[in-house]
Amino acid sequence: MEKPTQEKCSIGGFSFGKIRDSATFGTVPSASAKPAIYLLGSTKDSSSKVTDASSTEKRENNHLFTFPAARPNLVSQWRDIEWTEEKKTSLMKTISSYIPSCADVNQAQVLLLGPVGSGKSSFISSVQSVFNGRVTNRAMVGSSSNSFTKKLQSFNIHGQNGEHPTGLILCDMMGLGGEEMTGPTLHDILSIIKGHVPEGHKFSPDQPVRSETVGYVKRPSLQNKIHCVAFVVDASKVLTYPKGLRTTFQQLREHISDLGVHQVALLTHVDQICSETDKDATQVYKSHIIRDMMGKAGALLGMSTSYIVPVKNYSSELDLDVNTDVLLLSAVDHILQYTDLHFQDNTSHHTGPKID
């Protein structure tokens, strides 16, 4: 048998070893190698709240970040959105009746990808809460600086009152980074998108996904693959994420784009940087500070703000709020628009990029 060869490369500013083995899918990191993506930063106090008070300052990672002084909210919204019960009902109907525009796929799969504590699991639970008619936490949410989610989990979004599942599945996975210097590798992330990783797979930096992995899908169908990636970043941490994160996002986005998968982004915890939005979600598109933070998030991710939507997740609330519901459902609708672009690119004619 041919002996695997050891190579060195650098992804996202981190050097790591990888083994090129013709018997396995592509190239995989060696068991002793450091993950390609890890320690993407966490704040010292994940529960601290950043308001839009004048001259608000926050010191993280030995750097001083100053938030701009508060300004009166805009008179008109910088994005047009209706805040009514009728709008909520309309969005719920649209999402509940969604059918992927591809005969080979029953449900669209969207992967949520972001740093530890960015609000991926909270977003899933919040969306499910809207359809359940009450605040629930089906996707387990942690509060530490390390990723609470350790494995790949898929959540069927059910229709109103727990009816039949919609055509949407939200996929949760281990967060990028954490204090334990561990996290998913670039190889593992791309393996998920390509459809090789089985449901429930537990990630480990010293046990990368390979053809010998239990449940490994050798010949994934279009249904097995990820059809859209939604990056998730915390609005209250955008200015304090480590500098290497921008490079990591750039590398991720380039590789994902090469697979022909469209990408969007969710800016979570906007209520933590704007007190007015914390009180009333309808103020989100009138807030100067949120609009400015959207631009900074775009620079971090390397994408236009037209791909980014602000989100307010349910956290301590016990009851639903129609305006928060509209904001959450609008984010899901935004995701589905780009998900369908993937199906248009991957029709039965195979005119789009092929994902091996």
Side-chain angles (χ1 to χ4, degrees), residues 61 63 240-248 300:
N61 301 328
H63 294 283
T240 60
Y241 280 132
K243 293 180 179 179
L245 182 58
R246 178 179 298 194
T247 303
T248 299
L300 173 69

Side-chain angles (χ1 to χ4, degrees), residues 11 17 55 87 89 104 109 112 154-155 162-163 165 192 201 214 230 250 278 289 302 329-330 337 346 351:
I11 297 293
S55 300
K87 181 61 175 179
T89 301
D104 298 328
Q109 296 201 111
L112 302 185
S154 300
F155 295 90
E163 296 173 357
I192 293 172
H201 173 76
V214 176
Q250 179 182 353
D278 183 29
I289 192 169
L329 293 171
S330 296
Q337 291 179 38
N346 291 272
T351 57

Side-chain angles (χ1 to χ4, degrees), residues 28 60 75 101 103 115 141-142 164 170 196 202 213 254 258 351:
V28 300
E60 290 287 351
V75 175
S101 58
V141 179
H164 299 294
L170 295 179
H196 293 289
K202 190 171 182 178
T213 298
E254 287 177 356
D258 287 343
T351 57

Side-chain angles (χ1 to χ4, degrees), residues 193-233:
I193 296 171
K194 294 174 181 178
H196 293 289
V197 182
E199 168 74 11
H201 173 76
K202 190 171 182 178
F203 298 97
S204 174
D206 57 355
Q207 294 181 343
V209 175
R210 54 195 309 165
S211 59
E212 293 81 7
T213 298
V214 176
Y216 182 87
V217 183
K218 294 183 178 181
R219 296 182 179 276
S221 65
L222 185 57
Q223 177 65 69
N224 297 128
K225 300 170 184 178
I226 293 299
H227 309 119
C228 181
V229 171
F231 287 98
V232 184
V233 293

